[in-house]
Amino acid sequence: SSGINAEWPLRPGIKKIEEIYLFSLPIKEAEIIDFFLGSKLKDEVLKIMPVQKQTRAGQRTRFKAFVAIGDFDGHIGLGVKCSKEVATAIRGAIILAKLSVIPVRRGYWGNKIGTPHTVPCKVTGKCGSVLVRLVPAPRGTGLVSAPVPKKLLSMAGFEDCYTCATGQTATLGNFAKATFAAISATYAYLTPDMWSPTVFTNSPYQEYTDYLAKPFVKQPKKEVKY
């Protein structure tokens, strides 16, 4: 990524992460998220749980890490990784969380005064038996929620929200995934204020095709003489 960033202003390219979401381009490197959101991203380990596999010699224990990542301003990601060591599991989960970062749509409870502060409409998410429902709340309510969804909602940038959960919410992994699914559903609803015809420009692949067709030449490192 250092090669990409070195002369960024000189070459054509995507300036905002929203351009990637507009054209539904897959993000395949965590460094892309670092480049756009970098310093604003905060990550939190939700849980580390041991999982076991029965073998002839006994059990083989591995560690499963759940990590949430967000910028507290409209972007949230959730990563799950299993590994032999705790540190490796956390590192892998952070990378997967970055790759799964999604845009979050925020709205109003009543009159459109000030900045959007809650979910735009009632949304639900489901994982396993856990079903999470997010309901818009008036300004000043805060996040009325269990600890796990509260972390995800605050990381996503919601200030006020009512929640309702059913199922086995003690299964933290499914509880977190269901909340993440509900948050990602905020952009799945086409509300009347988005009915104006969308004027699509060329996809970045099309727009920068001349530049992308050129073979990539790695810049030689400058030698430092002491």
Side-chain angles (χ1 to χ4, degrees):
S1 61
S2 55
I4 297 172
N5 300 353
E7 45 180 288
W8 186 264
L10 309 178
R11 51 172 79 176
I14 295 167
K15 303 289 187 289
K16 283 169 69 182
I17 197 167
E18 271 62 37
E19 291 178 45
I20 296 175
Y21 296 134
L22 179 64
F23 293 98
S24 303
L25 305 181
I27 297 173
K28 295 188 176 180
E29 291 185 22
E31 287 76 15
I32 295 171
I33 298 293
D34 285 333
F35 176 78
F36 288 114
L37 303 176
S39 58
K40 290 191 286 183
L41 280 180
K42 299 277 182 293
D43 55 69
E44 186 166 340
V45 180
L46 299 176
K47 188 179 186 181
I48 294 164
M49 58 186 275
V51 290
Q52 291 183 325
K53 178 186 177 182
Q54 194 69 31
T55 59
R56 278 190 306 179
Q59 299 95 10
R60 193 190 68 195
T61 306
R62 293 201 299 170
F63 297 97
K64 193 176 184 182
F66 295 90
V67 172
I69 197 163
D71 64 350
F72 296 86
D73 190 24
H75 299 96
I76 180 93
L78 181 68
V80 184
K81 180 71 179 170
C82 199
S83 182
K84 287 179 189 174
E85 292 175 19
V86 174
T88 320
I90 293 172
R91 210 174 307 123
I94 289 171
I95 290 168
L96 289 174
K98 284 177 182 172
L99 292 176
S100 73
V101 165
I102 53 163
V104 175
R105 186 174 175 215
R106 289 168 290 177
Y108 299 91
W109 172 78
N111 288 347
K112 294 178 170 56
I113 300 169
T115 54
H117 60 99
T118 184
V119 283
C121 55
K122 292 174 187 174
V123 286
T124 53
K126 195 171 190 296
C127 182
S129 71
V130 184
L131 186 137
V132 173
R133 187 177 194 226
L134 308 180
V135 180
R139 209 180 282 275
T141 307
L143 299 170
V144 184
S145 163
V148 174
K150 199 172 207 172
K151 280 178 190 167
L152 289 166
L153 289 166
S154 66
M155 277 183 162
F158 292 113
E159 292 162 34
D160 315 286
C161 187
Y162 292 126
T163 63
C164 165
T166 58
Q168 187 72 343
T169 53
T171 313
L172 187 140
N174 286 358
F175 202 9
K177 284 179 182 177
T179 311
F180 184 68
I183 292 170
S184 62
T186 52
Y187 261 119
Y189 285 92
L190 188 66
T191 49
D193 57 331
M194 296 168 78
W195 282 358
S196 55
T198 310
V199 181
F200 282 113
T201 53
N202 281 341
S203 147
Y205 292 144
Q206 189 75 43
E207 199 172 335
Y208 307 122
T209 184
D210 297 335
Y211 175 74
L212 293 169
K214 290 178 189 171
F216 178 69
V217 181
K218 206 168 186 181
Q219 298 296 324
K221 286 186 179 178
K222 290 178 184 176
E223 287 183 23
V224 181
K225 292 181 181 177
Y226 295 104

